[in-house]
Each structure stands twice: as C-alpha cells, then as structure tokens.
C-alpha cells in the first residue's frame, strides 16, 4: 500500500490544526483495496471540521464499504497553509483514512452543498494530480463526480465533472460502481479503452448526468441559453433524480464518525425524515427532496440508543428539514429523554431539534428537551410581515411565533435565534422593518419570564435557486441588500436584547452568479481559482473583486447573470434535468406568490400535482397518520393573525 504519511507527518508541525489530517476517528475504516474493486475517494470541498459531520458523505462511506466490489475512503480540503506545503513538497491530495494518494483511487466524488466551494473543488482535483477539465483526462485519470443540492444546476462546473448524481445516492453509488467496473477491468488488463465509453456506461444509470454527452446552445448575439441537448443516443433528453422510497430500509450511518478534534455539529445525528411539503417558495431543499419519507419511530429510537452507546455522546440531533413536523415527535423526544439514560446507565441526554418550525413547536416539546442541558433554539420566520410570509408560503402567523417563543421562555430558555431573509420577491421597506418589530416583541415576551432575555436576529440575502417557484426572480442588487441591512441596523440600534447579524451581501451576489449560471461560468470559476480564490466561503479569504474581474475578462456581467428577471419561455440551464417537479406547477406557484396566495402542506391536504409523488409512483411515508400538533400550514390550526396583517400593495415592476 502506498501512503503519503511519512512525508505528511514531517510537515504537520508547520500547519494549524494538524489533527484535521491524521484520521483515526472512532468509526473510521481502513479498507483493503483489491484489483476487482472500484475505489472511491469521497470528498468534501471544505475543511475537515466542516465536512466530517456531513451525513450524506458518511452514509455513502458505509454503504460502499459494505460492498464486495467497492472500497471508500474520505478526504477534505486542506487549509491554505497545508495546501501550500503540499505543493511545495510535491505531496498529492490524500485520504484521511489510510493516507493513500488520491491518484490510487478510481473515483473522486464530491458532496456539494454550497456554490462558494466550487474553486476548492478545482484545487482538490489539481492536487490529486488530475486535469481539472474532463475533456483533458485520459484512461488512467480519476473520474470526477459530484452530488448534493448544488448539483441540481451543475452547469457552471459541468466541464470539470465526469458525472453528476441527482437526488438520493444510496442506490446510485452501487450502480455506478457496477457500470464502471467492466471498463476499469479492461483498462487494467491493458486493453485499449477510452473515457467516452465509460461516460456512455454512466449515462445508463438512472439519476446520473454525464455533461460530456450534452451541448449548450447560446444565442450568439445575447449569450442567453437557447437549449441544452444530448449529443449521444445513450444520454436521455431529461435526467431524472433518484429517490429512495423507504428511508427505513437505509438506517445509516450505523457507525457515525467520532472526531478526535473539534468539529461543527459535534453530536450524534439521526435523520428522522427526508423531504418536505411545507412548500416554502424560496427553499430549494424542500422542493427537490419531495416526497416526504419518514423513518419509522421505533427505528429512530433504536438508532439513537445504539448511536449514543457506541459514540459516548450525550447529545443527539434529530435531523430533517422540519423536525417538529415528524409525526409523533413529542413521543420520540419524550422517550429519548426519559428512557435512554436509564437503559444505558448514563447521565442526561440532550435532544436538539435543529430545524424547528415555529408553528409546530409546542410546550410539550419545550418541556421535554429542556430537562437535560438546554441546547440552542433557532426559529426561522423568514419574512418580517404576514404579507411577506404569504408571498413566500411560510404560513406562520405572529401568534405562531409568539406562542413558540413563550413556550421556550416559560421552560427556562433565556436566549434564542431568529432567522430571516431579505431581498425576497415584492419585499417593501415595511416588510424589512417588520423583522425589527418581531424581534422587539419576542424580547418583550421574554421579559415576562426573565430579567435579561435576548434574541439574535440573523439576516441572509435571498438567492433564487433552481427548481423553486422563485427561479425566475431577479435577485436584489448588492447595493439594495446593503441598504436593507442598514435599515435594520438603524431600527434595532437602541433595542436592548436584540443582536443583529447578517450575511455579507457581496458573498450573496457571488452565490447568485453560480446558482443560476450556465456553462460559460466554468471559465470564470477556473479563472478565480488560478488567481488564488479558494475558500471563498470564509470571510478572511473571500474577495468579490476576483469574481468581478474574471467576469469582465470572459465577457459576462452580474446584471445578466444575477439581477435580471427570467421569462416563462426562457430556457433555463437545468431544463434537461428533473427534480420531479412539473415546470408549469412551479410557474403557477410563482404567480400565486405574486398574488400573495398560500398553499397548505399537501401531506394533510389534497394533492397539488407538483409531480414529485405521481412521477415516481411514490406517496408520502409518515410514521403516524395523525398530523403533528400545531401548524397553521395545513396541520390542524387555522391561520390567525393579530399583528402585521394589513395588506401591502405589490410594488410596480416586481413581476418579471
């Protein structure tokens, strides 16, 4: 076995946080590589402490290593200090499990959850000794793949990728392994092979998009995309996403990794359901992961007990897009708090619900999760007024919000976080300033129970995403987002107990460049990377001027890519891909948004024929037929509005 460890160990004393690179975590594997196995190197294009907790990567890591025809190891983006030393010393990218060089693997597969990591992907491919462009790779070069939410529009990075997996990867990785194995066996036997044949084989796997088998047609005068078409009969006109029907059949990860150094979300994580039908119009994750598939409640309890016993954690996060919507959530939380410690003979176990719907958070849940150590509470009203929340279909009233925070304050919490978006379609200054009003009222409720309650208000700039009703919306300019942040800063300056934080509007602009961009952006991304623009998610390395200069060099503008509205008949860069949603459903939902019309959660109401269930022959899978307590969005409580209900006119020019 080849290993870079001797050379790596010699330079680790010269870098920050060397524990990022040594591996050896509880749950880590050191698989034996064999000639009849396809070797996967699973990559997260950010630092170890950000990437290690990623559940998608850990799930595929276990599934692949359970197969006889595959092995899998992990790698993460080396921080800038180590990257410089690796290049200086001629040490390639490596796995953290056995420290094999990346070139010893067959596939380097990335989990992409943020657009600003794209330049890190190029840096890691280059460090692996592989040409960054798929067209330049030969038979013995790595296959570069990607999955994750960002790959629902992979076009900005399509020239760098051999394949993309749309949707759930649990089944797809095995089929990719089987598709590539004969080609790799022929190559290793010395037979003449070419990568095009391997690409054709990959295109036969449902849910796999092979960019080299498609071409993008742009208007030569305007540059606007006219269509993306297949160039080979093996490539489907539309690539359908993969959807696993029963989450209960995939109880992974069974052996969650326990790091040796500090990481984010350092706790046991158990996914309780996948998908969301609340229908928030800004939320790509909720749209592309439909339908809802809940894990059986008993399996949740078993995974929690087994996971806590094996890892030694005393905190468990029940993860999903909206955990308080899990049917039977109160019973599951109560059982964990009441029974797990007794059965394991350990101390109190804290339960974290990281994705909390305001209108499904009850006194009962609050009482249960506060019995051990109180974990953080974050609620996401998203919009500052009821009108704004109708536009975005986040149908929670002020009563819902105030009821939830009162439940929390009454059970002992003193601090909480509220998350909002600015720059949403049709937003007025009244909507923006409504955020400050809500924050003040939350603090006022807290003062009924505590002397110095506080609320942290986090503000994010809205970036329209593919496969959402807002995919046609022209994003707010950087200057406009900055102005709205200023409004809120001025409005909360004298409010004791309200702390305001915001995402840099410059970074929001760059996210927007790539979110809905096309293949022309590949040149821009490579340009930024070659000018040193890595770790663009990190404020100390982010540089918008790198992006603006690269756009200018390649004849593109922010106005064309980000700020302009799209029309109904315009070809979108992801039109040849499918998240299971009918395009006419999304367009109608966009029109409903402009008319301030909300849609209830379709788990408990009639089907709206979005396409996610009917197209795949799958229905929503719930653990309990009774809707969760609370929930003004179709889960048992009527919408009542006591504040902010005055109609606000849609400003002229708000529609595309």
């Amino acid at each position: 076995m080849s290993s870079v460890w001797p050379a790596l160990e010699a330079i680790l004393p010269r870098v920050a946080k060397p524990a990022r690179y040594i591996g050896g975590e509880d749950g880590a594997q050191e698989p034996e590589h064999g000639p009849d196995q396809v070797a996967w190197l699973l990559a997260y294009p950010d630092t170890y402490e950000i990437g290690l907790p990623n559940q998608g990567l850990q799930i595929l890591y276990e599934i692949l290593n359970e197969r006889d025809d595959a092995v899998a190891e992990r790698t993460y983006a080396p921080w800038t200090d180590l990257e410089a030393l690796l290049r200086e010393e001629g040490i390639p990218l490596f796995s953290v499990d056995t420290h094999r060089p990346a070139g010893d693997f067959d596939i380097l597969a990335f989990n992409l959850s943020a657009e600003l990591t794209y330049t890190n992907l190029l840096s890691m491919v280059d460090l692996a000794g592989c040409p960054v462009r798929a067209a330049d790779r030969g038979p013995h070069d790595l296959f570069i793949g990607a999955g994750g939410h960002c790959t629902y529009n992979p076009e900005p990075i399509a020239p760098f990728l051999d394949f993309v997996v749309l949707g759930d990867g649990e089944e797809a990785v095995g089929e990719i392994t089987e598709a590539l194995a004969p080609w790799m066996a022929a190559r290793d036997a010395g037979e003449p092979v070419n990568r095009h044949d391997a690409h054709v084989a990959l295109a036969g796997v449902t849910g796999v998009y092979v960019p080299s088998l498609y071409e993008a047609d742009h208007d030569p005068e305007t540059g606007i995309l006219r269509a993306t078409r297949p160039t080979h009969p093996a490539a489907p006109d539309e690539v359908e996403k993969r959807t696993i029907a029963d989450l209960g059949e995939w109880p992974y990860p069974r052996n969650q990794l326990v790091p040796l150094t500090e990481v984010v979300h350092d706790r046991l994580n158990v996914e309780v359901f996948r998908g969301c039908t609340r229908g928030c119009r800004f939320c790509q994750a909720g749209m592309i992961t439909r339908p809802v598939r809940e894990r059986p409640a008993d399996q949740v309890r078993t995974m929690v007990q087994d996971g806590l016993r094996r890892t030694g954690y005393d905190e468990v996060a029940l993860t999903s897009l909206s955990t308080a919507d899990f049917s039977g959530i109160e019973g599951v939380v109560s059982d964990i708090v009441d029974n797990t410690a007794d059965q394991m003979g350990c101390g109190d176990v804290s339960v974290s619900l990281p994705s909390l719907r305001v209108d499904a958070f009850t006194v009962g849940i609050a009482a249960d999760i506060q019995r051990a150590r109180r974990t953080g509470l974050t609620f996401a009203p998203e919009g500052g007024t009821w009108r704004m929340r109708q536009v975005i279909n986040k149908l929670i009233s002020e009563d819902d919000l105030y009821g939830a925070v009162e439940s929390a304050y009454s059970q002992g919490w003193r601090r909480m976080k509220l998350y909002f978006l600015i720059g949403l379609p049709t937003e007025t200054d009244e909507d923006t300033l409504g955020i400050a009003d809500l924050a003040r009222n939350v603090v006022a409720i807290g003062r009924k129970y505590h002397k110095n309650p506080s609320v942290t208000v986090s503000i994010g700039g809205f970036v329209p995403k593919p496969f959402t009703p807002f995919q046609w919306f022209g994003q707010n300019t950087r200057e406009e987002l900055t102005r709205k942040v200023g409004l809120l800063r001025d409005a909360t300056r004298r409010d004791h107990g309200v702390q305001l934080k915001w995402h840099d509007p410059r970074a929001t602009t760059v996210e927007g460049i790539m979110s809905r961009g096309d293949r022309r952006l590949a040149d821009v991304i490579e340009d930024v990377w070659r000018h040193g623009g890595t770790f663009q998610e990190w404020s100390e390395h982010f540089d918008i001027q790198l992006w603006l200069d690269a756009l200018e060099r390649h004849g593109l503008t922010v106005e064309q890519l980000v700020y302009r509205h799209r029309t109904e008949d315009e070809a979108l860069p992801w039109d040849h891909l499918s998240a299971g949603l009918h395009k006419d459903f999304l367009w109608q939902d966009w029109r409903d948004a402009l008319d301030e019309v909300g849609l209830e959660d379709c788990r408990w109401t009639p089907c709206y024929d979005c396409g996610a269930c009917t197209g795949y022959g799958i229905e929503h899978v719930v653990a309990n037929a009774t809707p969760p307590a609370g929930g003004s969005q179709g889960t048992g409580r009527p919408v009542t509005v006591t504040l902010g209900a005055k109609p606000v006119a849609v400003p002229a020019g708000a529609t595309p």
Side-chain angles (χ1 to χ4, degrees), residues 473-479 505 509 516 544 557-566:
F473 174 65
Q475 183 174 321
N476 275 195
T477 66
R478 176 172 32 128
E479 293 77 13
T509 300
R516 294 181 294 171
I544 193 173
T557 66
V558 177
E559 288 72 21
Q560 181 190 51
L561 294 166
V562 183
Y563 299 150
R564 69 177 180 88
H565 295 300
R566 275 64 168 173

Side-chain angles (χ1 to χ4, degrees), residues 213-268:
L213 303 183
Y214 294 77
E215 65 177 7
D217 176 25
H218 293 266
D219 185 297
E221 294 184 2
T222 66
I224 292 177
L225 182 70
R226 293 193 291 211
T228 303
R229 303 183 183 93
T231 59
H232 191 280
D237 292 333
E238 185 176 68
V239 180
E240 297 276 356
K241 73 169 182 177
R242 291 297 291 261
T243 302
I244 59 171
D246 186 354
L247 199 60
E249 294 180 357
W250 302 91
Y252 294 92
R254 302 180 195 271
N255 297 293
Q256 180 178 312
L257 296 165
V258 182
L260 302 178
T261 187
E262 185 177 1
V263 300
V264 300
H265 310 311
D266 193 5
R267 60 202 177 197
L268 180 68

Side-chain angles (χ1 to χ4, degrees), residues 149-368:
H149 289 181
C150 282
T151 56
Y152 277 86
N153 177 25
E155 292 306 287
I157 52 173
F160 312 127
L161 302 175
D162 290 293
F163 68 91
V164 173
V165 178
L166 296 180
D168 299 329
E170 285 90 340
E171 297 170 332
V173 290
E175 295 174 25
I176 292 169
T177 299
E178 294 166 2
L180 285 178
W183 185 91
M184 291 178 176
R187 177 199 62 186
D188 295 343
E191 299 177 19
V193 295
N194 63 70
R195 291 179 76 91
H196 176 74
D197 292 338
H199 286 174
V200 170
L202 286 168
V205 178
T206 302
V208 172
Y209 167 52
V210 182
S212 68
L213 303 183
Y214 294 77
E215 65 177 7
D217 176 25
H218 293 266
D219 185 297
E221 294 184 2
T222 66
I224 292 177
L225 182 70
R226 293 193 291 211
T228 303
R229 303 183 183 93
T231 59
H232 191 280
D237 292 333
E238 185 176 68
V239 180
E240 297 276 356
K241 73 169 182 177
R242 291 297 291 261
T243 302
I244 59 171
D246 186 354
L247 199 60
E249 294 180 357
W250 302 91
Y252 294 92
R254 302 180 195 271
N255 297 293
Q256 180 178 312
L257 296 165
V258 182
L260 302 178
T261 187
E262 185 177 1
V263 300
V264 300
H265 310 311
D266 193 5
R267 60 202 177 197
L268 180 68
N269 295 286
V270 175
E271 183 184 25
V272 296
F273 71 85
R274 195 172 296 179
C276 182
T277 49
R278 287 283 191 154
C280 300
R281 292 170 175 136
F282 58 86
C283 180
Q284 184 191 47
M287 292 289 172
I288 64 177
T289 59
R290 296 180 177 197
V292 168
R293 290 143 293 155
E294 291 194 357
R295 191 178 300 283
D298 286 343
Q299 187 179 80
V300 172
R301 296 181 179 94
T302 298
M303 291 177 70
V304 169
Q305 291 176 9
D306 291 349
L308 291 173
R309 183 180 295 110
R310 192 190 65 78
T311 63
Y313 281 121
D314 61 359
E315 179 181 350
V316 57
L318 303 179
T319 65
S320 74
L321 292 175
S322 182
T323 297
D325 280 343
F326 180 73
S327 50
I329 183 63
E330 289 198 33
V332 170
V333 171
S334 180
D335 286 348
I336 293 171
V337 174
D338 287 338
N339 301 328
T340 302
D342 293 340
Q343 293 174 3
M344 295 173 53
C346 64
D348 290 335
V349 174
S350 299
V351 178
S352 173
L353 308 179
S355 298
L356 280 174
R357 286 287 306 203
V358 167
D359 56 346
F361 184 78
T362 65
V363 174
I365 294 176
D368 280 332

Side-chain angles (χ1 to χ4, degrees), residues 13 25 28 35 42 46 114-115 125-126 146 172 209 220 255 299 311 398 426 436 474 508 513 527 552 554-555 611 621:
E25 308 95 340
L42 302 176
D46 209 329
E115 293 90 353
V125 171
D126 184 61
Y209 167 52
N255 297 293
Q299 187 179 80
T311 63
E398 279 83 353
T426 80
T508 299
I513 290 171
D527 189 322
E552 184 176 2
H554 295 282
V621 178

